[in-house]
Amino acid sequence: MRRKLICGTLAGLILVALALAASCRSDGNDSQERRNEARTPDEKTEEGRSVTGPVKIGFAMDTLIEERWPRDRELFRQAVESLGAEVEITVASGDDALQIKQAETMISEGVDLLVIVPHDAEATAAIVKKAHAAGIKVMAYDRLVKNAEIDFYVSFDNEKVGELQAKAITALVPKGRYVYIGGAETDYNAHLIKKGVFKVLQPLIDSGDITVVYDQWTADWVPTNAQTNMESALKANRNRIDAVIAANDATAGGAVAALAAHGLAGRIPVAGQDADLPAARRIAEGTQTMTVYKPIRTLAETAAGLAVAMARGEKVEADLMLNNGKIEVPSVLLSPIAVDRSNIEETIIADGFHSWDDVFRQDRRP
């Protein structure tokens, strides 16, 4: 009788201990466990990731102000959903604190993977750290996150963008006085583009053929800020400028507006990038020389495919490794395309990025 009592007591103690251990366990993986409660055991990997069940991707965007970003949002959404996954999208409107808060909310709600278009390449590192603490991987979309252990990066070759811009303009103006209107200093892509531009310009600067008479960043990529920069460049140089390279089409538009105010639009070559519709129209009209086309559908679909695969615990392949100041980041970089008046129809129009009527509505065929 005494043995039965002892055995019963031990069994009870063991059950209590197990219950206490289960209720007190908090090892940083609670959010991941909650994400898997609705999944059947055969849908889970050893890491708790679903292989065949639905996954949810968080997409933390910086802005929708520039023409391209609404396209990215919808194309990414469509691509994720076509793969049988769900997507939640937030937009921070250039507010770093808001972007971090929005990402924290998606992390707490249990997304399976977070994709970020950072506003500030440095500040966004905090998001990566918080996501990893919750067992969630992070992908950088189009813009690299600096000084963080980011898991993957998908973009276009932004240094190549700058090279294409500079090659196009130096072919037209091999000697002269150049203005460089940069992008947002907080955006690492702006630095990569500038690096590509000056990779081409530097030998011509060293030889004395080209002089860069003005070089300034544009806060938040805002066209009016770029216009102010261009006005300053014109004033400082008494309108003696031979070429302008702008970091994107929005800043190119600001530069062209300043040139137009001085009767110089169309007389001075201007480069941009993104193939925005206003830029395509300026190319058709002759006030902007070229743009760099980055097929956004390809970017969105590539990023979505990789994100869903990673969320499901599948192995993904990188094309190269890029240093972000802390680690070598597995990356896929897509190829940009230089576009001017001679090939605009066989590139952005042939791809359906813009229609012929929209681009040439002021230059209609007979």
Side-chain angles (χ1 to χ4, degrees):
M1 179 70 179
R2 180 178 178 80
R3 177 179 295 178
K4 289 181 180 179
L5 181 61
I6 292 172
C7 291
T9 302
L10 288 172
L13 289 172
I14 291 169
L15 288 172
V16 170
L18 289 172
L20 286 172
S23 64
C24 297
R25 185 176 64 237
S26 179
D27 58 4
N29 292 321
D30 290 351
S31 61
Q32 181 59 59
E33 290 169 5
R34 286 195 298 271
R35 285 196 292 276
N36 284 300
E37 285 177 356
R39 294 175 182 157
T40 59
D42 61 337
E43 290 179 325
K44 302 171 191 175
T45 66
E46 291 182 1
E47 296 179 350
R49 295 292 178 189
S50 169
V51 175
T52 58
V55 296
K56 187 173 183 178
I57 308 298
F59 192 25
M61 301 186 71
D62 166 28
T63 181
L64 296 178
I65 291 177
E66 294 167 18
E67 180 190 308
R68 64 158 292 188
W69 292 113
R71 290 174 179 262
D72 287 81
R73 178 185 60 182
E74 294 311 311
L75 289 169
F76 185 81
R77 184 201 304 277
Q78 292 168 15
V80 169
E81 292 177 349
S82 73
L83 294 169
E86 299 175 1
V87 61
E88 179 177 347
I89 301 173
T90 60
V91 181
S93 301
D95 185 327
D96 293 324
L98 179 58
Q99 186 166 43
I100 292 171
K101 183 178 180 181
Q102 289 171 336
E104 286 176 338
T105 298
M106 288 192 284
I107 291 167
S108 67
E109 290 175 348
V111 295
D112 294 282
L113 184 133
L114 186 62
V115 179
I116 307 175
V117 182
H119 171 253
D120 187 312
E122 299 278 355
T124 320
I127 295 175
V128 179
K129 187 174 182 179
K130 291 175 185 292
H132 283 176
I136 298 169
K137 291 184 177 181
V138 183
M139 173 188 291
Y141 180 102
D142 194 60
R143 301 174 180 172
L144 185 61
V145 178
K146 293 284 288 178
N147 296 316
E149 295 182 352
I150 197 84
D151 297 287
F152 214 91
Y153 173 50
V154 183
S155 184
F156 288 91
D157 187 337
N158 289 293
E159 190 172 330
K160 183 68 173 178
V161 168
E163 291 178 23
L164 291 174
Q165 290 179 309
K167 286 178 180 178
I169 298 302
T170 54
L172 295 172
V173 186
K175 296 182 180 182
R177 298 164 64 84
Y178 274 57
V179 166
Y180 184 71
I181 304 294
E185 190 173 9
T186 56
D187 184 345
Y188 187 56
N189 277 7
H191 293 265
L192 292 174
I193 293 164
K194 184 175 182 178
K195 181 179 178 181
V197 167
F198 280 84
K199 183 177 180 179
V200 174
L201 295 187
Q202 197 60 53
L204 298 169
I205 294 170
D206 293 341
S207 69
D209 289 335
I210 285 176
T211 302
V212 178
V213 296
Y214 187 88
D215 176 357
Q216 187 58 262
W217 301 108
T218 300
D220 292 326
W221 299 92
V222 174
T224 52
N225 293 337
Q227 184 172 348
T228 298
N229 283 340
M230 191 68 223
E231 288 284 0
S232 297
L234 289 164
K235 182 178 180 179
N237 292 278
R238 298 181 181 180
N239 290 3
R240 292 173 54 239
I241 291 168
D242 300 301
V244 178
I245 299 177
N248 74 347
D249 287 334
T251 52
V256 169
L259 291 171
H262 293 266
L264 297 173
R267 295 171 57 186
I268 296 175
V270 178
Q273 66 115 353
D274 279 341
D276 287 351
L277 182 56
R281 288 174 176 166
R282 289 193 295 268
I283 290 172
E285 296 162 0
T287 55
Q288 182 169 324
T289 308
M290 64 86 67
T291 187
V292 180
Y293 172 43
K294 301 184 297 186
I296 294 172
R297 181 178 296 277
T298 302
L299 173 63
E301 292 178 352
T302 300
L306 289 165
V308 171
M310 289 171 65
R312 289 175 175 162
E314 299 170 7
K315 184 178 179 181
V316 296
E317 298 292 336
D319 292 340
L320 72 165
M321 307 294 284
L322 286 179
N323 191 286
N324 73 342
K326 187 168 187 177
I327 65 168
E328 297 292 323
V329 182
S331 305
V332 169
L333 297 185
L334 306 170
S335 297
I337 303 166
V339 174
D340 58 22
R341 185 64 178 79
S342 70
N343 69 342
I344 194 169
E345 294 190 47
E346 63 193 61
T347 52
I348 62 176
I349 292 174
D351 282 359
F353 193 70
H354 300 306
S355 72
W356 191 95
D357 280 343
D358 282 344
V359 172
F360 292 98
R361 62 183 183 181
Q362 294 179 352
D363 183 22
R364 292 188 180 277
R365 291 171 178 167

